[in-house]
Amino acid sequence: MEKWPEIEKAATEQRRELVLQGGGVDERISSCGGLPSSLYSLQLLNYLEVSQCPSLTEIHVEIQHLTNLQSLVLCRNKLTSVPDVIGILKSLKVLDLSVNNLKCLPQGIAQLKELNTLNVSCNCLEALPGGLSQCTKLATINVSKNQITTFPPDLFSERLDLLSTLVASDNSIHELSGEICKLSALKVLDVSNNKLSEIPSDLSDCPKLKEINFKGNKLGDKRLEKMVNGCQTKSILEYLRGKGRGRRDEEGGDSDKKKRQQQQQKKKGKAREEKDEVEELNKMVVRVLHVSEVPTALTVKVNAEVKDVRPYLVCCLVRGMSLKPGNALKRFLMAQTKLHDDLCGRRTIATIATHDAQLVKGPLVYDVRPPTRLKVVPLGRREMTAVELIRQLHLEADELRKQKKRQNVTGLHKYLQLLEGKSVYPCLVDADGDVISFPPITNSEKTKIKKTTTELLIEVTSSTSLQTCKDVMDAMIIKMAELNKFTAEHQEEAGSDGEEDGARQPAADAETSSQLIVQQL
């Protein structure tokens, strides 16, 4: 039997976490016919990740012995089944089975009383198991990119009073029950790109709902369909609330004629407001320009060597982003972080880098360099080689974990491991030969954005696919447009967050500051 040094080390040091991922691990799984039985003797583990191993098609029932597991991450493999004994792992809080070949989920999942996060996105699921309402601590469910046609009846249960995020985009769901209003903690609902023909008015009764996405559904109510493609959540919920009131009036039978007329006048007023908002959005906050043919235009050359490391790259220039007023820069950085955590899978799927375009010297080259020769000035640090930086980040991550008494692997650990075993690292290099980006690790201090930045270079890289880069870039641009609109409408004072010296100045006029111009590179 082939030795697994990672497992031996975890046993010897009585470690609480273990991460197995990448090509080397996949080769051993292939030669052993699966994971070694010694893995299931590590009963102290509370974090186990086995990912990016296409040879892994099943998990042995011996997984039931790891009863202290709190996080089980089995993403980006080729799993076709998960044993029902997973229900024995009573301490499990996070279960990530995303990007596999699962056609069904074990009924045992419903026995996981401590489960907080369930991610089964990017599989071949046609249905979810019943009984999920028994997992009363569920806060996040992601079932996107499957073949699900309907939600199980008990999912919309008052027992799930902590469920705040439900993502079910890119499925074949044809109906959304009005019972969804029982999810009192629901904040985010994404059922885009499904087969819904209507949205229940009861959805407006979800008291904490802040973000909804119904795009890509052919709704019978064409006004509502237009709204979901352009309006903010608040406006859509108000429209649904108005429809609900109208329906209840009709069901009430004979009511006072004058009262009905007043209701109709209110509806017309709201309809006019919604129409105005749609028209305002349709004027548009983003103008997209094609690749410039001007000889001095910024370009990016991609060298062939990146194909074995991190092959996919999308870039653009963005003008008109207002970062100076109030907390605008802080909101922008928080939005980028949220995209990294969610859509980018904590940088494991894709990475976004932002630069002050005025500080970028073109033409740029997307290239690879050996770790000892790749020098960069990381954000907030001195110049160092990639080897030194990664060593330092590992030390800092370990220290942070000890300080906070965490036993699990941090998000930082996760994307540091993406470069393990690579003989060369990807980097974006400017005309001076300086590295301005080292994905997925850091940007350079040389091109760091500030409140005074007026033109940004946005860069998205991925080892997954070019479409992934495009999707992330689209999401980033949309979020920037929303933030710019917010900044324009809320007249904050420049420098009000204490990040800028000098006298405070009022924000720019909304008419001149909310439009973004995106130049493709």
Side-chain angles (χ1 to χ4, degrees):
M1 179 68 69
E2 188 174 354
K3 288 187 176 182
W4 290 65
E6 305 95 335
I7 295 175
E8 292 179 0
K9 183 178 180 181
T12 303
E13 298 180 2
Q14 296 186 321
R15 294 184 66 86
R16 265 65 174 176
E17 74 285 327
L18 178 63
V19 176
L20 301 171
Q21 66 177 189
V25 173
D26 186 53
E27 289 177 8
R28 281 180 279 166
I29 290 175
S30 179
S31 63
C32 294
L35 292 167
S37 58
S38 57
L39 171 65
Y40 304 114
S41 65
L42 301 175
Q43 295 187 16
L44 293 178
L45 287 182
N46 58 34
Y47 182 98
L48 174 62
E49 175 176 345
V50 185
S51 59
Q52 301 180 48
C53 297
S55 299
L56 185 62
T57 58
E58 62 180 1
I59 296 296
H60 200 276
V61 292
E62 289 186 23
I63 190 78
Q64 65 183 301
H65 298 310
L66 303 182
T67 53
N68 286 311
L69 275 183
Q70 295 181 21
S71 296
L72 179 59
V73 179
L74 301 172
C75 63
R76 309 186 72 78
N77 301 302
K78 295 290 184 183
L79 292 176
T80 58
S81 64
V82 175
D84 197 52
V85 294
I86 198 171
I88 295 175
L89 306 179
K90 301 299 184 183
S91 299
L92 205 59
K93 296 180 180 180
V94 176
L95 179 59
D96 186 347
L97 302 172
S98 60
V99 198
N100 280 288
N101 290 333
L102 297 172
K103 292 186 177 180
C104 63
L105 294 176
Q107 191 62 41
I109 287 180
Q111 301 171 30
L112 301 174
K113 308 298 184 184
E114 297 296 317
L115 194 63
N116 171 273
T117 301
L118 175 63
N119 185 355
V120 292
S121 60
C122 303
N123 277 285
C124 307
L125 300 174
E126 296 180 358
L128 294 175
L132 286 177
S133 61
Q134 299 175 55
C135 305
T136 55
K137 295 187 178 181
L138 267 173
T140 301
I141 298 177
N142 187 343
V143 296
S144 60
K145 296 186 178 180
N146 279 285
Q147 299 166 19
I148 296 169
T149 57
T150 185
F151 290 113
D154 73 323
L155 181 62
F156 303 141
S157 167
E158 293 170 346
R159 299 181 65 185
L160 295 178
D161 56 357
L162 299 178
L163 184 59
S164 62
T165 301
L166 176 57
V167 180
S169 57
D170 298 283
N171 279 283
S172 298
I173 299 168
H174 54 79
E175 182 181 8
L176 185 63
S177 169
E179 297 290 293
I180 195 171
C181 66
K182 293 181 179 180
L183 299 178
S184 58
L186 192 65
K187 294 181 180 178
V188 178
L189 174 65
D190 186 350
V191 283
S192 57
N193 299 319
N194 276 282
K195 296 183 178 179
L196 296 174
S197 58
E198 62 178 334
I199 303 173
S201 58
D202 305 83
L203 184 66
S204 62
D205 294 330
C206 292
K208 296 185 178 180
L209 199 55
K210 301 294 183 186
E211 184 178 334
I212 56 177
N213 188 351
F214 286 93
K215 294 178 182 178
N217 289 286
K218 294 183 178 180
L219 302 177
D221 186 333
K222 295 306 175 184
R223 178 183 292 173
L224 182 57
E225 183 175 313
K226 188 173 183 181
M227 288 180 67
V228 302
N229 287 319
C231 289
Q232 295 179 346
T233 296
K234 183 179 178 182
S235 301
I236 297 169
L237 293 179
E238 286 178 354
Y239 180 83
L240 291 172
R241 197 171 289 119
K243 287 186 68 177
R245 282 198 296 266
R247 187 195 71 237
R248 285 190 287 272
D249 283 346
E250 290 176 9
E251 291 174 351
D254 292 333
S255 59
D256 184 74
K257 185 176 180 181
K258 186 177 180 181
K259 186 177 179 180
R260 282 204 303 269
Q261 289 175 339
Q262 289 174 342
Q263 292 276 1
Q264 289 172 354
Q265 289 298 323
K266 286 181 181 180
K267 286 181 185 179
K268 287 179 181 178
K270 285 190 175 182
R272 281 195 297 270
E273 290 176 11
E274 302 297 351
K275 184 178 179 181
D276 290 343
E277 183 163 354
V278 170
E279 288 177 352
E280 179 188 346
L281 284 161
N282 285 343
K283 288 176 184 175
M284 212 36 257
V285 290
V286 178
R287 278 181 61 207
V288 179
L289 306 180
H290 293 293
V291 176
S292 174
E293 296 181 357
V294 177
T296 56
L298 185 64
T299 60
V300 185
K301 175 185 176 183
V302 180
N303 281 347
E305 289 84 352
V306 301
K307 69 182 178 65
D308 296 323
V309 184
R310 196 174 182 85
Y312 305 109
L313 169 76
V314 171
C315 294
C316 71
L317 289 173
V318 180
R319 304 182 188 95
M321 188 69 195
S322 181
L323 298 176
K324 196 170 186 179
N327 291 316
L329 177 59
K330 193 175 293 183
R331 286 193 294 270
F332 174 81
L333 296 174
M334 288 174 63
Q336 183 179 344
T337 299
K338 190 173 188 303
L339 282 173
H340 268 150
D341 288 345
D342 299 340
L343 189 58
C344 298
R346 299 199 173 188
R347 305 197 196 194
T348 59
I349 298 171
T351 306
I352 307 165
T354 55
H355 309 269
D356 187 327
Q358 300 299 319
L359 302 176
V360 174
K361 295 182 180 180
L364 303 177
V365 179
Y366 185 44
D367 206 353
V368 295
R369 291 183 178 178
T372 54
R373 288 177 47 207
L374 194 164
K375 290 187 176 182
V376 63
V377 183
L379 292 172
R381 301 173 187 262
R382 62 172 178 81
E383 184 181 65
M384 59 183 73
T385 66
V387 173
E388 293 171 326
L389 175 60
I390 289 179
R391 184 187 301 124
Q392 182 66 29
L393 291 174
H394 270 299
L395 291 172
E396 291 174 7
D398 286 336
E399 185 61 30
L400 178 65
R401 185 172 54 187
K402 289 175 183 176
Q403 287 177 3
K404 295 191 175 183
K405 297 182 180 179
R406 293 177 178 170
Q407 297 296 333
N408 58 331
V409 172
T410 66
L412 178 60
H413 267 118
K414 280 189 164 187
Y415 66 81
L416 285 177
Q417 290 164 353
L418 294 177
L419 296 176
E420 284 187 1
K422 304 290 186 186
S423 59
V424 290
Y425 291 168
C427 55
L428 191 63
V429 183
D430 68 9
D432 292 337
D434 294 332
V435 173
I436 64 170
S437 178
F438 170 25
I441 307 301
T442 185
N443 301 13
S444 170
E445 186 73 22
K446 181 177 180 179
T447 56
K448 177 182 177 180
I449 64 170
K450 302 179 288 294
K451 277 181 167 289
T452 52
T453 299
T454 57
E455 184 177 6
L456 293 92
L457 168 65
I458 313 292
E459 156 214 339
V460 179
T461 61
S462 173
S463 57
T464 306
S465 70
L466 185 62
Q467 189 59 47
T468 296
C469 290
K470 292 179 179 180
D471 291 345
V472 171
M473 181 67 84
D474 286 348
M476 183 69 183
I477 297 299
I478 291 169
K479 179 53 68 174
M480 290 172 70
E482 291 175 356
L483 291 174
N484 227 32
K485 190 169 186 289
F486 178 89
T487 299
E489 291 174 350
H490 295 73
Q491 296 291 304
E492 298 175 285
E493 294 179 334
S496 63
D497 61 357
E499 293 183 13
E500 184 176 284
D501 296 328
R504 296 180 177 183
Q505 300 173 354
D509 182 75
E511 287 295 314
T512 59
S513 64
S514 63
Q515 186 185 65
L516 294 182
I517 298 176
V518 180
Q519 176 82 60
Q520 299 179 48
L521 297 187

